[in-house]
Amino acid sequence: MQNHLTLSQLQKLVKATLDEAFALPVWVSAEIAEIKINYSGHCYLELVEKGGDNGVPLSQARAVIWRTAYARIAGYFEAETGQRLAAGIRILARVMISYHELYGFSLNILDIDPTFTLGDMERQRQITIERLQREGVWDINRENPLPQVVQRIAIVSSRQAAGYQDFCKELGKSPYAFSLTLFDAFMQGAGAEDSIVAALDAVADRMDDFDAVVLIRGGGSASDLNCFNAYRLCAHIAQFPLPILTGIGHDKDTSVADMVAHTALKTPTAVAGWLVERMTGVEGWLDTAALQLRDNVLVTSRAQELRLQELSSHLLFHAVSSIVPSAAQVLTIVFGMGTGVSLSLIHISEPTRLQL
């Protein structure tokens, strides 16, 4: 055909159309799927909109924050949200639409609104809470009986995490012999939720070996800790057959995982201190019980001793009483009339002695 466009001509038409239609920046919401900063300081992102069938995104686009703007945008975002720009979070970005004949469609990010991200995380958190309460599993883990002596402990944490090391050191300083078994898991990042759920499933397979589960990690940003607000993980915790103690390491907000766990403490060290304090209480109770037992034994022993003495006296009395009639046969005392008393000796048998 004579009337046709070359590829470059088509690309230029697309570019001109986009430039005309989107001459000014627009606000776009999306989730960060990938993010990396190259050696030049430019930040490259892959943005997606989820919701497609079988986990396939509805939409996807490349984006960039040039180094001249990256420090300002990232610094402000972290100051407001307490987290860095990272994969897995949703953002509201002010972008210029760009189209290049070789590199195609992309977005140039000029600004990011941190309040959108905070609002989205809180919205997801509230959805999880409402769903767990609606399904009637909110209080199940708290209803699991916690043994008086919590000594056999399954730990769900990362082997490399500082929080795990702090927990072990704190227990190691105590005089009690705790039995600790680590179920290693990722505690942050895109794979954290699946990893923690898998670790809990591994604990459930050996639940008769443990008194309780400790779920711990050190502090982190809101994004790092956001998996502890995810429905799937929190539903696992809520319905877990053993009591779960959490020490997720945040000082501000309480995660949904904390809310549905049997006992929630702020840090891994606080969990260890709580366990040691509980053992100290049990030891004190045992000491008190031992003293009471000793006192009760002494009182009972003294009472029985007095009873034995009483029974011995009664036995002696009855023994003497049984001898008295025989003595009457030995000596008959006949009281005479008048001034004299005559004793008539009837029978004396050995070894009876009569003293006058």
Side-chain angles (χ1 to χ4, degrees):
M1 297 179 60
Q2 296 297 321
N3 296 327
H4 69 275
L5 296 173
T6 65
L7 181 59
S8 62
Q9 289 173 330
L10 177 62
Q11 297 276 44
K12 287 178 181 179
L13 282 174
V14 171
K15 177 177 173 58
T17 302
L18 288 174
D19 288 345
E20 182 180 352
F22 298 100
L24 297 176
V26 295
W27 287 96
V28 176
S29 62
E31 179 177 319
I32 299 175
E34 296 179 16
I35 182 170
K36 62 181 179 179
I37 303 169
N38 74 356
Y39 65 93
S40 299
H42 304 310
C43 178
Y44 293 95
L45 306 94
E46 195 73 34
L47 302 179
V48 297
E49 180 182 349
K50 292 184 176 179
D53 295 334
N54 300 320
V56 177
L58 291 173
S59 183
Q60 186 168 335
R62 291 181 294 107
V64 62
I65 308 175
W66 301 118
R67 67 179 180 184
T68 53
Y70 176 71
R72 172 183 60 82
I73 293 173
Y76 178 63
F77 183 86
E78 185 172 352
E80 292 297 309
T81 64
Q83 61 182 310
R84 297 179 180 180
L85 291 170
I89 66 172
R90 295 185 73 240
I91 61 172
L92 180 64
R94 184 169 173 262
V95 303
M96 284 295 296
I97 296 171
S98 173
Y99 193 87
H100 191 276
E101 291 85 343
L102 290 178
Y103 306 116
F105 181 88
S106 66
L107 303 174
N108 177 14
I109 296 178
L110 306 176
D111 206 352
I112 294 177
D113 183 2
T115 60
F116 174 86
T117 301
L118 289 173
D120 182 70
M121 291 172 62
E122 180 59 27
R123 181 178 64 84
Q124 294 296 331
R125 182 172 177 269
Q126 291 302 322
I127 289 174
T128 298
I129 291 172
E130 291 168 7
R131 184 174 176 183
L132 292 171
Q133 291 176 338
R134 185 173 64 252
E135 292 174 352
V137 300
W138 185 258
D139 296 312
I140 289 180
N141 195 256
R142 280 189 294 275
E143 294 171 354
N144 285 330
L146 188 67
Q148 284 296 322
V149 177
V150 181
Q151 200 166 17
R152 305 174 304 156
I153 302 169
I155 306 170
V156 176
S157 186
S158 169
R159 187 181 304 276
Q160 309 302 324
Y164 169 65
Q165 304 298 331
D166 293 342
F167 175 81
C168 293
K169 287 179 182 177
E170 189 69 17
L171 288 186
K173 293 189 295 185
S174 77
Y176 309 112
F178 291 96
S179 174
L180 308 178
T181 304
L182 175 66
F183 291 81
D184 205 4
F186 298 120
M187 303 305 288
Q188 68 182 57
E193 183 181 2
D194 290 340
S195 182
I196 296 170
V197 168
L200 288 173
D201 288 342
V203 175
D205 290 339
R206 297 175 50 191
M207 61 175 292
D208 292 339
D209 296 339
F210 306 109
D211 302 316
V213 180
V214 168
L215 176 60
I216 52 175
R217 60 149 291 154
S221 67
S223 177
D224 291 339
L225 302 173
N226 199 39
C227 69
F228 295 101
N229 293 320
Y231 168 78
R232 181 167 172 251
L233 173 57
C234 294
H236 249 71
I237 293 172
Q239 300 174 82
F240 202 75
L242 288 172
I244 294 182
L245 317 178
T246 58
I248 299 175
H250 47 74
D251 295 324
K252 295 181 181 179
D253 297 329
T254 300
S255 69
V256 181
D258 289 321
M259 295 178 181
V260 296
H262 186 283
T263 302
L265 297 125
K266 285 296 183 184
T267 65
T269 302
V271 177
W274 187 88
L275 288 169
V276 171
E277 184 178 349
R278 187 177 179 87
M279 290 290 282
T280 301
V282 172
E283 183 181 25
W285 178 86
L286 288 174
D287 288 343
T288 301
L291 291 174
Q292 291 176 343
L293 179 61
R294 185 199 65 181
D295 292 343
N296 290 339
V297 168
L298 289 174
V299 169
T300 302
S301 176
R302 180 57 181 162
Q304 294 303 318
E305 183 180 349
L306 293 174
R307 177 62 176 161
L308 285 173
Q309 291 177 356
E310 182 181 356
L311 290 174
S312 297
S313 298
H314 281 298
L315 285 173
L316 181 60
F317 174 78
H318 287 298
V320 171
S321 298
S322 64
I323 295 173
V324 168
S326 298
Q329 296 174 8
V330 175
L331 180 65
T332 300
I333 303 176
V334 180
F335 293 91
M337 299 297 295
T339 60
V341 176
S342 63
L343 300 180
S344 176
L345 186 61
I346 300 176
H347 174 72
I348 297 177
S349 61
E350 292 295 338
T352 305
R353 295 288 186 270
L354 180 64
Q355 294 182 355
L356 295 179

